[in-house]
Amino acid sequence: MNQIVAWKPVPDPVEELAIAADGRSLDPEVIRFKLGDADEHALEQALLLKEKHGGKVTVVAFEAPEVDDALWTALAKGADRAVKLVLNRPNPGTAELAAALAHHLTSTAGPMTPDTLVLAGSQAIDDLEGELAPYLAEILGLPYLGVVSGVTLSEDGRTARVLKEFAGSLRGEFEVPLPAVLGIQSAEKPPRYVPVARVRAVMKSGQIEVAEVPPREVPQKLLVERMYLPEAAGHAEMLEGTPEEVAERLAGILAGRGLI
Amino acid sequence: MSAGILVLVEHLKGAVADITFEMLGAARQLAQASQAPVHAVLVGKDVAGLAAQLGAADAVIVVEDAAAELPSTELVLAVLRQLLEQKQAGLVLLGGTNVSFGLGVRLAARAKLPFVNFCKGLRWDNRALVCTSQLFGGKILSDVRLPDGRGVISIYPGSFPADAGKSDKTPPVERLAAPAVQSKVVFRQLLEPAAGDVDITKQRVLVGVGRGIQSRDHVQLAEELAAALGGAVCASRPVIDQGWLPLSRQVGKSGLTVKPRVYLALGISGAPEHWEGMQNSECIIAINTDPRAPIFDGAHFGVVGDVLELLPLLTEKVKARKT
Ligand SMILES: Cc1cc2nc3c(=O)[nH]c(=O)nc-3n(C[C@H](O)[C@H](O)[C@H](O)COP(=O)(O)OP(=O)(O)OC[C@H]3O[C@@H](n4cnc5c(N)ncnc54)[C@H](O)[C@@H]3O)c2cc1C
Ligand SMILES: Nc1ncnc2c1ncn2[C@@H]1O[C@H](COP(=O)(O)O)[C@@H](O)[C@H]1O
C-alpha cells in the first residue's frame, strides 16, 4: 500500500487571532500554526492500515513555522517519509494548495499507483474555499469520500471499505476502489502517543525532505474583502468571585431551575 | 431577470432535513431583490413525495434514482451541472452538513465557479453577492464578494430561519430523467448507532465536557456532578475521539442534538459543529479558562475559570443543597 497523508497546518484558534492592517487577513505576527485534529487522525488511520497491510506512509505537509516538529513526530510514530512543501505565495487558498499538492504528487511519483490511498483531514477551520481532499480528488480524477471515521481494506488490497458520518451518530458504509482520496474525520483509534525521546532519536537519524512547488492559478480563488471579529448578538451573564462564590451562585441557578 | 437559484434538497431516511428550509428561506430572500426563480432540486430514491413540502420554491425538480438508498454524489453533481445550464442558474445553495460535504467543491471545480464555505450571511450589493462566512471555529468572520452573483455556496446550519423556507403552497413539479453516470463510490448500507446506556436526548440536565477536561480520569468529576443533579454526562468530539466516552454521548454535527433544561458546557470552546447540537438548550452555562471562547457569546451564564477546580466545588454545593 502506498499511503500519502496530506497536512495543511492551520492558525491555532486558541491564540488570540488578530486582523492584519489590510483588514483582509489574519495578522501573521500573532499566528501560531498547528495541525487540526482531523490531520492527526489522518496519520493515525494511515498507520493503522500500514500495520495491517504493510507498504509505506508518506506525510506531505505545507510549510508552516511549526510544521517540522509535527513531521518529526510523524516519523517517530512510524511514517516512512516526511516531505515539506514550500509554496512561495502569501495567503494561498485551499484550492491553490490542492493544485500544488496534486502537481507535486504526480510529478514526483508519476501517476497514482493502483495501491495509492491519499488521506487528508476532512475539513479545516480555515477552509473558506472548501476542503483540500475533494479539490485534490477532482484534479487527480480520483474517487473521494469525506467525513470518514473508519477505513478497512479488502483482502486483495484493491478496495477500501469506508465509514462516513452523517448526523445523529448515523454512519454510512461505502466501498471505493483504490487509488482514492479520503477526507478523514477520525481514525478508528485515538492518535497514538510517542515519547519525546523517540522523536529526538528520529531527529538525529531521519530526514525531512523539502520540495518547492510552483504556485498554480485556480479559478476558485476567493478574494476576501473584509475579515473581522464577530460582534456577538448577545453575551453570557458572567459570574465573578472566588471559585467558592461562583460555585455557590451556580448551584443557586440550578436550584432556581428546579434541578436540585 | 437575473440568473436563477438552485437549492439542493437534503434528505436522509425519507425526511427533508431542516437545512433545506433554511436554504429555501435564504434563496427566497435573495430572489426578492433579484427576481430570480428558485428551483429546489430533489434527487434520490422514492423522493417525489417530499416535493409537497417544498412550496417555498418556484419549482421543484425531481430526479428519481432507484439505484441506491442514497443518491451517488456523481449523480447529484451531474444533475446540478445540467440544471445550471438548462435553467440559466448562477447560484447553487448546498447544506454545510455531512451529507453534502465535498459536493460543493467538486461542483465548483467542474462548473468553474467559486465555492464559498461556512456561509452564514448573504446580501446583494447591486449585482454582486456578498457572502459572510465564519472561520476558525466561529472566532473570525470574512466577507467575500461574488462580482456577478454566481457561485456555489455552502450554508452553515442554523444561520437562516427555517420558517422562512416553509410554505403551504403546492409547488409545480418538473421531472428530470436521471443522467447516466458512473460512480466509483458504491453505497452499501446505513449503520444505525449502537444504543448507549443512557439516552442523552432525554435528560433534563446535561453535563457536557470538552477538551478542557484534559484526561479520562477527570471525566469522573463530571459524572459525580451529573449524578448529583440526576442528569448525564455528554461530550464534544475530541473527548469521544479519545475514547473517554462512547459515541452515544457525542453532541453536535455528527453526534446528537440535545435540548435539556440546563446544559453545562465545561471546557468546551463552542465551535459551530458543537453549538449546532446544543444551541436550543433552555439554559446554557459555560465554564472556560478563555474569556474569548465563542461559547460565551451564546451561553446564558458564563464563568471564566478552571473546570477542574470548579467541578468538585459545584458538586459539593449541589449535594449540600439536597440535604
Ligand atoms: C464535519 C465535522 C463534524 C464535526 N462534528 C462534531 C460533533 O458532532 N460534535 C463536536 O463537539 N464537534 C464536532 N466537530 C469538531 C468541532 O469542529 C470542534 O473541533 C470541537 O467541537 C471542539 O471541541 P472542544 O470545544 O471540546 O475543544 P476545543 O475547541 O479545543 O476547546 C477546548 C476549550 O477548553 C478550554 N479549556 C482548557 N482547559 C480548561 C480548563 N482547565 N477549564 C476550563 N476550560 C478549559 C479552552 O479554553 C477551550 O475553549 C466536527 C468537525 C467537523 C469538521
Ligand atoms: N442531496 C442529497 N441527499 C441525500 N444524500 C446525498 C445527497 N447528496 C449526496 N448524498 C450522499 O452523501 C454522500 C456524500 O459523500 P461525500 O463523497 O463525502 O460528499 C454521497 O455518497 C451520497 O450518498
Side-chain angles (χ1 to χ4, degrees):
Chain A
M1 245 196 136
N2 174 33
Q3 296 193 83
I4 295 157
V5 175
W7 277 354
K8 179 170 88 76
V10 291
D12 187 347
V14 170
E15 300 292 303
E16 183 166 1
L17 299 174
I19 309 296
D22 68 3
R24 301 160 178 236
S25 52
L26 286 184
D27 184 352
E29 294 293 312
V30 293
I31 296 178
R32 197 181 70 190
F33 280 82
K34 63 163 219 164
L35 288 182
D37 290 351
D39 280 1
E40 303 263 15
H41 281 267
L43 173 63
E44 184 59 34
Q45 185 60 66
L47 295 173
L48 292 171
L49 286 168
K50 180 185 159 183
E51 281 164 7
K52 273 196 218 146
H53 304 279
K56 66 180 205 307
V57 172
T58 305
V59 182
V60 182
F62 285 99
E63 191 191 30
E66 290 83 0
V67 85
D68 283 21
D69 289 346
L71 285 172
W72 289 123
T73 307
L75 289 171
K77 284 180 172 181
D80 300 274
R81 282 177 67 196
V83 183
K84 185 161 67 172
L85 286 191
V86 180
L87 182 82
N88 292 310
R89 204 170 174 87
N91 296 318
T94 306
E96 265 173 300
L97 292 176
L101 178 58
H103 175 81
H104 171 75
L105 294 180
T106 47
S107 64
T108 60
M112 297 282 114
T113 52
D115 64 342
T116 297
L117 193 59
V118 183
L119 302 101
S122 186
Q123 183 172 66
I125 49 177
D126 64 348
D127 276 346
L128 172 64
E129 293 177 350
E131 313 82 37
L132 183 112
Y135 276 121
L136 190 65
E138 279 298 314
I139 302 169
L140 298 174
L142 297 182
Y144 156 86
L145 272 164
V147 212
V148 167
S149 59
V151 187
T152 50
L153 216 60
S154 64
E155 220 141 274
D156 63 6
R158 296 210 176 156
T159 313
R161 178 180 159 277
V162 175
L163 293 185
K164 174 192 164 73
E165 295 185 355
F166 291 103
S169 302
L170 181 74
R171 279 157 201 235
E173 187 187 318
F174 294 83
E175 261 173 33
V176 54
L178 267 48
V181 179
L182 300 178
I184 302 292
Q185 186 66 42
S186 355
E188 274 140 283
K189 287 187 190 163
R192 67 197 62 196
Y193 170 79
V194 61
V196 181
R198 173 105 191 84
V199 180
R200 290 230 177 86
V202 164
M203 286 172 78
K204 285 201 187 103
S205 61
Q207 65 153 330
I208 294 176
E209 299 159 50
V210 180
E212 217 165 302
V213 277
R216 322 295 294 178
E217 293 297 333
V218 292
Q220 291 91 352
K221 176 83 185 175
L222 292 178
L223 288 178
V224 174
E225 191 165 79
R226 186 159 91 94
M227 211 177 243
Y228 49 106
L229 303 178
E231 252 175 61
H235 199 274
E237 179 185 336
M238 301 305 285
L239 311 181
E240 277 154 30
T242 64
E244 273 287 326
E245 289 161 4
V246 168
E248 183 55 41
R249 284 200 55 199
L250 286 175
I253 292 167
L254 293 167
R257 303 233 154 208
L259 293 170
I260 306 178
Chain B
M1 193 168 88
S2 88
I5 305 174
L6 303 179
V7 171
L8 179 66
V9 176
E10 203 166 285
H11 55 90
L12 201 56
K13 297 204 287 181
V16 177
D18 253 3
I19 182 72
T20 302
F21 300 111
E22 287 192 44
M23 291 191 285
L24 283 172
R28 273 268 67 92
Q29 194 200 328
L30 289 175
Q32 207 169 25
S34 71
Q35 304 292 310
V38 175
H39 300 281
V41 183
L42 181 55
V43 189
K45 185 181 184 179
D46 302 327
V47 287
L50 301 176
Q53 299 173 44
L54 307 171
D58 296 304
V60 180
I61 295 153
V62 175
V63 185
E64 284 282 358
D65 166 43
E69 190 176 345
L70 292 182
S72 83
T73 298
E74 288 299 333
L75 174 64
V76 178
L77 286 169
V79 167
L80 290 172
R81 284 200 71 188
Q82 187 176 333
L83 289 171
L84 274 167
E85 293 230 338
Q86 264 177 22
K87 301 289 173 197
Q88 302 273 306
L91 202 56
V92 182
L93 304 188
L94 305 166
T97 61
N98 291 3
V99 169
S100 299
F101 202 86
L103 224 150
V105 163
R106 279 173 291 175
L107 179 63
R110 291 180 199 185
K112 305 235 172 338
L113 288 170
F115 174 67
V116 184
N117 209 5
F118 300 120
C119 179
K120 61 175 307 174
L122 289 166
R123 67 180 166 84
W124 290 114
D125 183 16
N126 289 322
R127 297 182 64 86
L129 184 64
V130 180
C131 316
T132 300
S133 300
Q134 61 179 356
L135 302 175
F136 301 103
K139 283 199 161 182
I140 298 277
L141 293 179
S142 104
D143 285 354
V144 161
R145 175 178 298 260
L146 306 178
D148 54 359
R150 295 168 63 84
V152 182
I153 299 176
S154 173
I155 301 292
Y156 202 85
S159 305
F160 295 89
D163 283 345
K166 291 181 181 160
S167 164
D168 302 333
K169 276 193 249 161
T170 308
V173 172
E174 269 175 58
R175 294 245 177 195
L176 188 76
V181 289
Q182 293 252 317
S183 177
K184 287 187 175 163
V185 176
V186 180
F187 169 73
R188 287 287 171 222
Q189 58 175 328
L190 284 177
L191 302 171
E192 296 291 337
D197 47 347
V198 285
D199 183 350
I200 58 169
T201 65
K202 301 230 158 73
Q203 305 292 320
R204 52 179 207 150
V205 50
L206 284 172
V207 182
V209 292
R211 204 194 308 266
I213 200 78
Q214 291 163 36
S215 82
R216 180 194 292 267
D217 296 343
H218 296 150
V219 175
Q220 185 54 33
L221 300 175
E223 294 285 2
E224 282 158 24
L225 177 61
L229 289 168
V233 175
C234 62
S236 66
R237 170 153 214 140
V239 172
I240 307 293
D241 278 351
Q242 283 299 322
W244 298 342
L245 282 166
L247 190 59
S248 56
R249 306 287 183 112
Q250 182 170 325
V251 169
K253 192 181 204 74
S254 296
L256 295 160
T257 298
V258 297
K259 228 176 124 176
R261 267 155 72 185
V262 173
Y263 188 93
L264 288 134
L266 310 180
I268 292 177
S269 64
E273 293 84 3
H274 186 78
W275 185 249
E276 225 183 292
M278 41 64 79
Q279 59 184 333
N280 293 321
S281 303
E282 279 173 44
C283 173
I284 297 167
I285 302 174
I287 303 180
N288 199 304
T289 41
D290 175 7
R292 287 180 319 268
I295 190 81
F296 289 131
D297 295 339
H300 301 90
F301 297 98
V303 179
V304 176
D306 183 347
V307 63
L308 299 181
E309 182 180 12
L310 279 163
L311 247 178
L313 280 173
L314 179 55
T315 307
E316 215 176 273
K317 302 279 181 203
V318 169
K319 283 184 177 160
R321 276 176 188 253
K322 289 203 322 192
T323 51

